[in-house]
């Protein structure tokens, strides 16, 4: 599968991108421009506590006088059972974990290898160890296709307008919590994609279970994450792809908790040999690696979206404009679709409509043919995608305010709750080094640079999954397993 997989072939399901849904309702994107949305906190939520970042976590609801066992302990209880009495134990590891786990052993960020981390989980007793990079690549396949589906529908519906979409990323639970509780009217503008963790969990309990002949109910899926919000995300009632009551992800262990467990069990991570990830869900690209830091989701998505539109690889994979620690980062990416493509046709139609409008504004000065002389050749003018990255929820609020006032306009926006992104998640080891976030970030960039495959759509394992199981990106089956909905007011268990 090359970029052909990304295009919608005849008979493939193409979702209506302007009609996202949540709950039992279908909610159309408002016809009014984004900047006119009213995102005041609904009255019934004004006195309700909500999380402002991934660094905080609500107390787990439990009966009076009792305390729920932490999930790392629940995972160990299952792991420690005799093999013939326990479930099949499967772990997945997020990108940011691999560069911070070394700090639990007094080493610099990135000093241990991903292979050593995989080996440590096997020595803990896990039967299979998968890489959340695979889930990140799936996310890009779905989110990139969704972005361009929305963009195409927008161009078709509004050929006379240059208003942006926009579409927001959806993989950060801290941002989703803020969205649902404080900006519920913006839900239709958010990607419907699940996070990489939840996509991989769904694939484990459907695709993998089918391939290996294992009942989903006999699998215990454990995620190792840098984020304290990931357990609340996993506990959402509808994340049960393989059947009612069977969670896609059962337990979430943070990076810091895993470090403590390894030390308590005398598994010295820095001295381990490199192990490998299990297949078919253990291979990831460099694009999946950079998911772990601010701007990484944007960078990964553009590597694939650009190629989808232009049929050419993005000339420069390291997008410095969206990297770094600035609070708000923005750039424009010009994409020139090939002659004869649907996007070239739509760009030509917009150019013709704009020329008609300009001629009407200067009535009588120029004799105009009504746009009849325009052709698909006008697609050579290209399409400019306006993108932005909000680093931390404080900056996200500032950006949203500017967007709603019309001060700035974007087509695609990444928002991460924690400053610097997942590398600074609340589940990472604590550090007194003020430069630790930048060092973790650089360690991720180094892994991306060394990766054999750096674009999500070139991941052979992902290609195989679409061919064998999912069909096309954004297909009916992909939507059932890899997409979700969001709830105005939020979810009580979070």
């Amino acid at each position: 599968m090359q970029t052909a997989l990304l295009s919608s072939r005849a008979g493939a399901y193409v979702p209506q991108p302007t009609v996202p849904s949540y709950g039992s309702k279908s909610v159309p994107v408002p016809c009014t421009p984004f900047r006119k949305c009213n995102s005041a906190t609904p009255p019934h939520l004004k006195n309700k506590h909500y999380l402002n970042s991934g660094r905080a976590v609500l107390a787990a609801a439990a009966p009076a006088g009792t305390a729920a066992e932490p999930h790392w302990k629940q995972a160990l209880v299952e792991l420690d059972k005799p093999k013939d009495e326990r479930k099949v134990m499967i772990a997945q590891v997020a990108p940011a974990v691999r560069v911070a786990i070394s700090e639990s052993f007094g080493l610099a960020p990135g000093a241990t290898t991903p292979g050593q981390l995989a080996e440590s989980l096997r020595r803990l007793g896990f039967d299979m160890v998968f890489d959340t990079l695979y889930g990140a690549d799936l996310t890009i396949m779905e989110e990139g296709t969704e972005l361009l589906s929305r963009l195409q529908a927008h161009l078709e519906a509004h050929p006379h307008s240059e208003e942006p979409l926009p579409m927001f990323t959806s993989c950060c639970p801290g941002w989703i919590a803020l969205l649902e509780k404080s900006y519920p009217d913006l839900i239709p503008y958010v990607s419907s994609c699940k996070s990489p963790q939840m996509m991989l969990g769904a694939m484990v309990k459907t695709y993998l279970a089918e391939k290996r002949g294992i009942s989903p109910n006999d699998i215990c899926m454990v995620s190792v994450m840098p984020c304290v919000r990931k357990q609340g995300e996993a506990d959402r009632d509808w994340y049960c792809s393989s059947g009612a009551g069977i969670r896609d992800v059962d337990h979430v262990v943070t990076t810091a908790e895993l470090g403590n467990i390894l030390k308590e069990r005398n598994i010295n991570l820095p001295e381990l040999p490199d192990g490998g990830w299990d297949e078919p869900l253990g291979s990831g690209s460099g694009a999946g690696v950079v998911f772990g830091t601010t701007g990484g989701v944007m960078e990964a998505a553009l590597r694939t979206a650009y190629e989808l539109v232009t049929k050419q690889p993005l000339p420069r994979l390291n997008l410095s404009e969206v990297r770094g620690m600035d609070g708000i980062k923005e750039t424009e990416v010009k994409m020139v679709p090939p002659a004869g493509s649907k996007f070239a046709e739509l760009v030509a139609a917009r150019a013709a409509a704009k020329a008609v409008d300009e001629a009407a504004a200067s009535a009588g000065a120029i004799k105009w043919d009504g746009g009849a002389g325009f052709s698909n050749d006008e697609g050579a003018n290209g399409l400019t995608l306006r993108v932005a990255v909000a680093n931390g929820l404080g900056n996200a609020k500032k950006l949203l305010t500017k967007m709603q006032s019309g001060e700035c306009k974007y087509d695609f926006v990444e928002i991460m709750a924690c400053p610097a992104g997942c590398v600074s998640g609340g589940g990472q080891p604590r550090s007194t080094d003020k430069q630790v976030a930048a060092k973790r970030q650089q360690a991720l960039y180094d892994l991306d640079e060394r990766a054999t495959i750096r674009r999500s759509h070139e991941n052979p394992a992902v290609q195989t999954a679409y061919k064998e199981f999912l069909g096309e990106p954004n297909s009916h089956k992909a939507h059932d397993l890899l997409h979700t909905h969001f709830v105005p007011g939020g979810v009580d268990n979070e």
Side-chain angles (χ1 to χ4, degrees):
M1 174 193 69
Q2 296 297 322
T3 54
L5 176 60
L6 297 171
S7 60
S8 296
R9 295 198 291 261
Y13 171 60
V14 179
Q16 295 299 317
T18 54
V19 190
S21 63
Y22 52 83
S24 59
K25 297 182 179 181
S26 179
V27 183
V29 169
C31 295
T32 56
F34 173 84
R35 64 176 181 271
K36 293 184 179 179
C37 291
N38 175 18
S39 292
T41 303
H44 69 289
L45 295 174
K46 284 186 177 178
N47 295 321
K48 192 173 182 180
H49 174 66
Y50 65 88
L51 289 171
N52 278 321
S53 78
R55 289 185 171 279
V57 63
L58 293 174
T66 68
E69 290 282 6
H71 277 269
W72 66 264
K73 189 173 288 187
Q74 293 181 48
L76 287 181
V77 167
E78 187 67 29
L79 197 61
D80 289 342
K81 292 178 181 177
K83 275 208 169 186
D84 59 348
E85 297 178 15
R86 75 180 194 190
K87 295 186 176 185
V88 177
M89 299 298 295
I90 299 177
Q92 65 165 305
V93 182
V97 174
R98 71 202 63 215
V99 296
I101 187 68
S102 55
E103 297 169 42
S104 294
F105 294 83
L107 301 176
T112 53
T113 68
Q116 288 175 312
L117 179 54
E119 179 64 21
S120 73
L121 290 165
R122 286 201 178 82
R123 297 199 180 191
L124 276 177
F126 283 97
D127 300 298
M128 286 177 266
V129 182
F130 296 131
D131 198 338
T132 311
L133 298 193
Y134 178 96
D137 285 341
L138 274 180
T139 302
I140 289 304
M141 296 295 289
E142 294 298 316
E143 189 171 65
T145 304
E146 180 187 10
L147 171 65
L148 295 178
S149 295
R150 289 189 183 218
L151 186 59
Q152 179 174 321
H154 187 67
L155 288 167
E156 290 172 340
H158 307 288
H160 290 261
S161 171
E162 293 191 14
E163 282 288 330
L165 290 176
M167 188 178 91
F168 296 89
T169 58
S170 58
C171 55
C172 173
W175 151 234
I176 294 302
L178 176 69
L179 166 79
E180 291 180 327
K181 293 179 171 68
S182 295
Y183 298 89
D185 54 307
L186 302 188
I187 287 174
Y189 293 94
V190 177
S191 168
S192 64
C193 288
K194 293 178 179 178
S195 70
Q197 170 194 222
M198 299 315 303
M199 285 198 183
L200 184 52
M203 291 293 282
V204 163
K205 295 205 176 179
T206 56
Y207 177 54
L208 179 78
E210 183 180 296
K211 286 179 75 72
R212 298 290 177 87
I214 307 171
S215 169
N217 204 37
D218 291 335
I219 295 173
C220 180
M221 182 75 224
V222 180
S223 298
V224 184
M225 294 283 134
C227 175
V228 296
R229 289 302 309 261
K230 285 296 182 180
Q231 186 66 56
E233 177 185 69
D235 287 343
R236 291 194 166 210
D237 291 340
W238 52 93
Y239 285 154
C240 299
S241 302
S242 57
I246 304 175
R247 299 288 190 197
D248 292 338
V249 171
D250 298 286
H251 305 298
V252 175
V253 177
T254 68
T255 312
E257 289 168 346
L258 177 61
N260 290 335
I261 292 168
L262 293 176
K263 288 186 289 186
E264 289 171 2
R265 300 201 168 191
N266 296 315
I267 299 174
N268 191 357
L269 179 68
E271 295 182 359
L272 296 180
D274 277 350
W277 306 96
D278 288 296
E279 296 297 344
L281 310 177
S283 299
S285 71
V289 170
V290 296
F291 253 68
T293 188
T294 174
V297 178
M298 178 64 66
E299 187 168 346
L302 290 177
R303 291 180 187 181
T304 288
Y306 182 92
E307 192 162 333
L308 193 159
V309 172
T310 67
K311 309 306 178 187
Q312 297 292 328
L314 186 65
R316 178 168 55 90
L317 293 186
N318 296 352
L319 297 178
S320 57
E321 297 87 345
V322 298
R323 292 187 171 191
M325 298 296 182
D326 290 346
I328 296 175
K329 295 163 281 188
E330 61 181 358
T331 191
E332 294 183 348
V333 178
K334 186 174 182 179
M335 302 184 293
V336 180
S341 68
K342 183 63 176 177
F343 270 104
E345 177 186 329
L346 292 169
V347 171
R350 171 166 284 184
K354 184 176 181 180
V356 169
D357 292 343
E358 290 173 351
S362 58
I366 300 175
K367 186 176 179 180
W368 182 247
D369 63 3
F374 276 75
S375 69
N376 284 350
D377 292 340
E378 295 302 317
N381 292 327
L383 182 69
T384 298
L385 197 68
R386 295 157 287 190
V387 303
V389 173
N391 181 16
L393 290 188
N395 289 308
K397 293 175 184 178
K398 293 176 184 177
L399 185 64
L400 289 173
T401 298
K402 289 182 178 181
M403 291 177 71
Q404 291 177 305
S405 70
E407 184 178 341
C408 55
K409 300 179 180 182
Y410 304 106
D411 295 293
F412 190 32
V413 181
E414 175 200 307
I415 295 180
M416 289 290 176
C418 292
C422 301
V423 290
S424 294
Q428 297 280 67
R430 297 301 181 195
S431 176
T432 57
D433 183 355
K434 293 182 179 180
Q435 300 300 314
V436 70
K439 292 175 181 177
R440 293 170 181 170
Q441 183 183 68
Q442 187 57 51
L444 287 179
Y445 290 148
D446 291 344
L447 288 172
D448 170 40
E449 290 278 2
R450 295 198 297 268
T452 304
I453 297 170
R454 298 185 64 194
R455 299 173 179 88
S456 296
H457 58 278
E458 295 178 350
N459 183 339
V462 169
Q463 294 172 1
T464 299
Y466 277 105
K467 182 179 179 181
E468 293 182 347
F469 188 67
L470 293 169
E472 296 288 326
N474 280 209
S475 67
H476 279 294
K477 192 162 193 175
H479 259 261
D480 285 344
L481 297 179
L482 307 180
H483 291 248
T484 186
H485 64 272
F486 305 111
V487 182
V491 178
D492 289 340
N493 69 0
E494 295 184 332

